[in-house]
Amino acid sequence: MTTSFTEENYLKTIYHLSKDMEIAVNTNAIADSLNTKAASVTDMLRKLAEKGLINYKKYQGVTLTENGKNNALNIIRKHRLWEVFLVEKLKFNWDEVHDVAEELEHIHSDLLINRLDEFLEFPKIDPHGDPIPDKNGKFHVPDLKPVCKLKIGECGIISGIRDHSSVFLKYLDEAKLTLGQKIEVLNIIEFDGSFVLNIQNQRQTISRDVAKNLLIAYE
């Protein structure tokens, strides 16, 4: 079944929202995420339901059917593989790849994506630490925790992020808070909840907002 650019964006959005909310996704949440009107969302949801991609009843929220979930995971797979390609092979910065990958993810060629996956040697995560589904939609979700959950003296390896905005990624680059860096919590400031970290034997203070959006794997 062929899906349009817009339909694919809806499926991907519903997938991400359902993961965060762990319940049926309501129309307003979709409208807010896609920056569109609720009436436009309702029209699209009817189309997706007719194609068997979502379960939809007015006022009861939306869930993906198995077919819809598979479609969403395929789009996410393509997006994340393209991000790997752009960073590793074309030397884009990690804050530059999202919009380009948004365009490339809509190419309808399983052969191309499977060849791309093989060319990249089947990466498991994208440049932001997000897991990449394989061609069967299977992927491993790493057990990551935000830095704000750490206590003084605890350590971890930066392995993912919650905020994918370009401005946040640029901040992390400038602060040298990139994937693979080992951090240790030296202190937590009582006044504002900021965290004092040891990074490569240097002290660095980050705000609580940054600590909430920076994910680590415990050592």
Side-chain angles (χ1 to χ4, degrees):
M1 177 192 303
T2 302
T3 48
S4 70
F5 184 106
T6 304
E7 289 170 338
E8 290 180 348
N9 283 339
Y10 268 79
L11 292 173
K12 186 174 65 170
T13 297
I14 294 167
Y15 177 82
H16 286 310
L17 289 174
S18 63
K19 241 178 51 173
D20 293 340
M21 301 168 70
E22 297 183 350
I23 55 174
V25 181
N26 64 57
T27 301
N28 288 334
I30 298 170
D32 289 343
S33 182
L34 292 172
N35 194 27
T36 190
K37 296 178 180 178
S40 299
V41 172
T42 300
D43 289 341
M44 177 57 69
L45 295 181
R46 290 196 186 103
K47 293 178 183 177
L48 294 173
E50 289 171 1
K51 289 189 171 186
L53 297 169
I54 64 169
N55 301 302
Y56 171 62
K57 288 186 179 180
K58 201 171 182 180
Y59 308 122
Q60 293 185 26
V62 178
T63 59
L64 293 171
T65 63
E66 193 63 26
N67 192 17
K69 182 181 177 182
N70 290 338
N71 271 267
L73 287 171
N74 187 44
I75 299 159
I76 291 167
R77 176 187 181 222
K78 290 189 286 184
H79 182 101
R80 293 176 179 173
L81 284 173
W82 282 120
E83 287 194 336
V84 174
F85 176 77
L86 291 167
V87 169
E88 289 190 0
K89 305 303 179 182
L90 300 187
K91 307 306 178 185
F92 279 68
N93 293 327
W94 69 339
D95 59 280
E96 298 174 322
V97 296
H98 178 75
D99 288 345
V100 182
E102 284 276 310
E103 301 272 344
L104 295 169
E105 72 185 27
H106 299 288
I107 297 174
H108 292 155
S109 172
D110 290 337
L111 177 60
L112 171 63
I113 296 305
N114 289 336
R115 291 277 178 88
L116 177 65
D117 200 4
E118 182 180 7
F119 175 68
L120 296 171
E121 299 181 344
F122 307 102
K124 301 300 182 186
I125 59 171
D126 73 6
H128 310 107
D130 295 316
I132 301 175
D134 65 17
K135 63 182 180 181
N136 299 312
K138 306 296 183 185
F139 59 95
H140 171 68
V141 180
D143 184 20
L144 304 182
K145 303 293 182 185
V147 171
C148 65
K149 297 295 184 182
L150 293 177
K151 298 177 182 178
I152 294 174
E154 290 189 316
C155 301
I157 304 294
I158 299 174
S159 302
I161 54 174
R162 281 180 172 165
D163 183 348
H164 288 67
S165 67
S166 177
V167 65
F168 184 62
L169 295 174
K170 287 178 181 177
Y171 163 81
L172 294 180
D173 266 341
E174 291 170 0
K176 295 183 171 55
L177 293 167
T178 50
L179 299 191
Q181 292 283 8
K182 179 181 176 180
I183 65 168
E184 177 189 1
V185 178
L186 299 177
N187 196 15
I188 303 172
I189 308 301
E190 184 177 356
F191 172 68
D192 62 0
S194 57
F195 281 68
V196 182
L197 307 177
N198 176 30
I199 306 170
Q200 295 183 335
N201 296 318
Q202 294 189 359
R203 291 169 66 93
Q204 185 166 335
T205 302
I206 62 173
S207 70
R208 185 163 183 81
D209 280 344
V210 172
K212 286 179 180 178
N213 284 290
L214 199 58
L215 303 176
I216 61 99
Y218 283 110
E219 283 204 304

